[in-house]
Amino acid sequence: MKNILITGGCGFIGSAFIRFLFLESDFSGKIVNVDKLTYAGNPYNVADIIEKFPKRYTFIKADICDHIAMSKIFEDFQIDTICHFAAESHVDRSIVEPDSFIQTNIIGTFNLLELVKKSKNRFVLFHHISTDEVYGSLGESGYFTEDTPYRPNSPYSASKAASDHLVRAYHKTYDIPVTISNCSNNYGPFHFPEKLIPLIILNALEEKPLPVYGDGKNIRDWLYVEDHCRAIWAIMKYGARGGTYNIGGCCEMSNIDVVSIICDIIDEIILPKNRRKLITFVKDRPGHDRRYAIDSSKLCNELGWAPKESFNTGIRKTIKWYIENKEWIAQVKSGEYMSWVNKHYNFK
Ligand code: NAD
Ligand code: DAU
């Protein structure tokens, strides 16, 4: 893996992975970061890398659906590996405006696979970043394993499921070396504040209402983003080609518990104001999956991975980061994000 193309490297997880590769891993090659810079893409997320590694890092603003632009990038940089993060990632947006999810998540992935097919001889690996949401919703017990049938419930998860199938099919049909990872909910620095954890942290800091969908008892499995990055790199290096790996934090929590813990920690480190009183139950998300829980034992047993952060340590680091990075918050809030939120949530 000498020349890695990272798609969506200005988003939350992609930017964390670029920082991880340069600052924490044994990777010594070059990275080309291709990002369309949608509302969720922010080049500032990798500002330190641009300064520290100008010879090994290139950013190109492009759409993964643009075959001509992507073909040129492939050849100009002799890309031998792809780590594919670029996606429309927010479930609520997919319910309101699914079109871009179909374009980017399905057509964009197909476009990349077609380009890989053409340069197959030099190609080392296509790693596809996916989600546990492709498996649908669990009842009170049980876990998603790599053999759980796909049952996506939102336009977002259906588009990710379609892309997973394409990646797997290109491995089987054209012998493209691929790996796929299906991960649970990430949290950490640079997380765009439309998602539960950063939204609640920012609103709690500003003493605004804390919107909780439905009864607040939906369960997610939370993983600190740096643990996800270590898992991806382990799979890219040592994972079986054609294989799928589930990644999870072993950290199932209801939404109301997550929100209450954030309130308590902010009360503790800023000023006790009983922020729990800001919790506001709002209309439920249509088709809202009740419970996700991941069995990561394949990844742990085969590749020796385990999460390093507990929810307590990870959420404290995350809250501290949002308190200390007011400039980033101001920049993000001035973008298109706020107008979308204002349009869809009249209580804000
Ligand atoms: P994000 O929304 O923060 O970032 C997505 C990035 O992709 C942005 O920088 C955006 O500009 C870019 N992008 C969007 N459309 C593009 C296009 N057509 N061409 C080029 N770039 C484009 O998302 P994230 O939370 O960092 O998620 C990254 C990946 O991880 C996604 O594939 C998502 O499905 C998957 N995932 C996310 C989570 C999570 O909890 N956030 C969990 C499991 C899997
Ligand atoms: O499970 C992995 C998935 O996790 C990723 O594939 C997605 O890209 C990522 O966005 C995330 O999806 P979720 O829908 O689980 O994340 P979100 O932060 O949007 O919501 C988490 C839970 O909190 C979910 O049950 C809905 C609820 N929620 C969300 C928001 C934004 C609220 O109660 N209030 C809110 O305001």
Side-chain angles (χ1 to χ4, degrees):
M1 292 188 266
K2 287 188 186 139
N3 299 317
I4 303 187
L5 168 63
I6 299 209
T7 67
C10 293
F12 166 48
I13 309 175
S15 65
F17 188 63
I18 290 175
R19 286 192 302 279
F20 168 83
L21 280 187
F22 279 119
L23 303 172
E24 311 279 341
S25 83
D26 55 352
F27 175 67
S28 59
K30 293 182 178 169
I31 289 177
V32 180
N33 173 10
V34 167
D35 197 301
K36 185 182 171 183
L37 299 184
T38 66
Y39 76 95
N42 185 348
Y44 178 81
N45 293 358
V46 278
D48 52 341
I49 298 302
I50 301 168
E51 279 169 26
K52 284 184 195 146
F53 302 94
K55 292 198 177 127
R56 292 176 56 205
Y57 173 80
T58 307
F59 170 69
I60 299 171
K61 182 177 185 301
D63 184 337
I64 56 164
C65 301
D66 182 340
H67 196 82
I68 294 168
M70 294 309 298
S71 177
K72 185 167 181 337
I73 292 165
F74 253 63
E75 291 317 308
D76 286 355
F77 293 91
Q78 289 292 295
I79 298 301
D80 56 41
T81 304
I82 297 183
C83 187
H84 177 34
F85 293 90
E88 288 294 337
S89 68
H90 191 36
V91 174
D92 292 333
R93 285 181 189 255
S94 83
I95 294 165
V96 181
E97 290 165 353
D99 309 45
S100 59
F101 289 73
I102 304 304
Q103 279 305 320
T104 289
N105 300 3
I106 305 178
I107 308 295
T109 304
F110 164 71
N111 194 29
L112 294 174
L113 288 166
E114 278 293 295
L115 287 166
V116 171
K117 198 171 88 185
K118 285 178 195 147
S119 52
K120 201 178 130 190
N121 291 345
R122 68 161 184 270
F123 214 76
V124 178
L125 179 66
F126 185 103
H127 181 71
H128 182 59
I129 305 291
S130 192
T131 169
D132 60 357
E133 299 201 7
V134 296
Y135 299 122
S137 186
L138 288 165
E140 283 181 12
S141 62
Y143 294 89
F144 297 135
T145 73
E146 287 80 0
D147 295 325
T148 302
Y150 276 31
R151 278 177 173 273
N153 289 319
S154 70
Y156 162 69
S157 53
S159 69
K160 292 297 290 186
S163 66
D164 292 11
H165 291 320
L166 280 169
V167 174
R168 194 177 163 279
Y170 271 65
H171 172 71
K172 284 278 177 191
T173 307
Y174 304 111
D175 204 22
I176 308 278
V178 309
T179 42
I180 300 175
S181 52
N182 295 84
C183 189
S184 62
N185 287 61
N186 285 216
Y187 67 100
F190 299 102
H191 201 181
F192 194 83
E194 64 186 348
K195 308 283 167 64
L196 180 73
I197 287 190
L199 177 72
I200 295 299
I201 294 174
L202 293 195
N203 280 14
L205 288 171
E206 293 176 17
E207 296 175 47
K208 286 185 177 166
L210 308 177
V212 173
Y213 298 165
D215 64 4
K217 292 189 180 146
N218 300 66
I219 289 175
R220 297 291 181 267
D221 169 53
W222 293 98
L223 181 68
Y224 192 65
V225 65
E226 287 172 17
D227 281 326
H228 187 187
C229 293
R230 282 193 303 108
I232 294 166
W233 190 226
I235 296 165
M236 288 177 74
K237 287 208 297 186
Y238 306 118
R241 279 22 187 174
T244 288
Y245 292 84
N246 281 354
I247 312 173
C250 236
C251 175
E252 277 183 62
M253 295 179 69
S254 68
N255 295 334
I256 191 67
D257 284 349
V258 168
V259 174
S260 303
I261 288 171
I262 293 172
C263 289
D264 295 349
I265 296 175
I266 295 180
D267 276 354
E268 177 198 312
I269 61 183
I270 303 254
L271 194 63
K273 287 214 169 175
N274 186 18
R275 284 175 173 79
R276 285 189 188 210
K277 71 177 184 307
L278 299 168
I279 292 173
T280 310
F281 289 95
V282 298
K283 196 164 164 283
D284 208 353
R285 171 187 281 174
H288 196 175
D289 287 337
R290 192 65 172 169
R291 174 173 169 257
Y292 302 148
I294 278 264
D295 177 348
S296 320
S297 53
K298 179 181 174 190
L299 174 64
C300 302
N301 295 338
E302 285 185 16
L303 306 185
W305 173 88
K308 284 186 179 166
E309 299 289 345
S310 67
F311 190 73
N312 183 42
T313 58
I315 197 69
R316 282 175 183 276
K317 278 188 187 177
T318 306
I319 291 171
K320 192 163 172 278
W321 187 88
Y322 280 91
I323 291 171
E324 289 170 355
N325 285 274
K326 297 203 167 50
E327 200 184 322
W328 183 87
I329 293 162
Q331 186 199 48
V332 164
K333 278 189 163 185
S334 64
E336 197 192 321
Y337 157 69
M338 284 315 283
S339 58
W340 191 87
V341 166
N342 290 335
K343 201 167 115 198
H344 291 277
Y345 300 105
N346 54 20
F347 61 83
K348 284 186 180 134

